[in-house]
Amino acid sequence: MPLIAAAARNALIYSLNAQGHHIEAEALACEALAAHRVLDRFTLVLRLRLARSLNGQARHEEALIEAEQADELRRTLPEEQCRAEIAAFELAVAR
């Protein structure tokens, strides 16, 4: 159940960002990161979602810091766990 709840929260953050509700997405991403203390793929995805919400608020320096922290985490995870997030990281930095 915790994994299903985490996935649902991730989808909600994604949707909020896509709709331009970046402040709400940021709040939910921060909540989710605070609740999920394990350094895993889910944390990586949450950091990228948080970077997107910050970028959407024109808080670019903070977004870049989050993207860089996500990349640091990505480098510690086994490659097979985070292949899809490599492109997401590069997009976050480019934005």
Side-chain angles (χ1 to χ4, degrees):
M1 287 307 278
L3 188 55
I4 292 171
R9 190 177 274 176
N10 176 49
L12 180 56
I13 296 165
Y14 178 86
S15 297
L16 287 168
N17 273 323
Q19 295 172 21
H21 300 287
H22 303 294
I23 294 171
E24 294 92 338
E26 176 192 4
L28 192 54
C30 288
E31 262 181 47
L33 282 166
H36 188 81
R37 299 262 181 211
V38 180
L39 297 178
D40 59 4
R41 182 178 182 202
F42 182 66
T43 303
L44 171 61
V45 170
L46 284 174
R47 288 209 171 275
L48 291 170
R49 300 275 187 255
L50 179 55
R52 183 169 182 202
S53 69
L54 293 168
N55 187 55
Q57 298 174 63
R59 293 164 56 191
H60 305 297
E61 288 181 25
E62 292 172 78
L64 186 57
I65 290 168
E66 283 300 327
E68 289 171 346
Q69 288 179 349
D71 188 46
E72 287 176 21
L73 176 56
R74 181 189 60 81
R75 292 170 196 250
T76 67
L77 297 174
E79 186 177 329
E80 62 274 1
Q81 285 188 15
C82 56
R83 280 191 193 119
E85 283 72 29
I86 292 171
F89 160 75
E90 291 173 357
L91 283 171
V93 171
R95 285 188 187 136

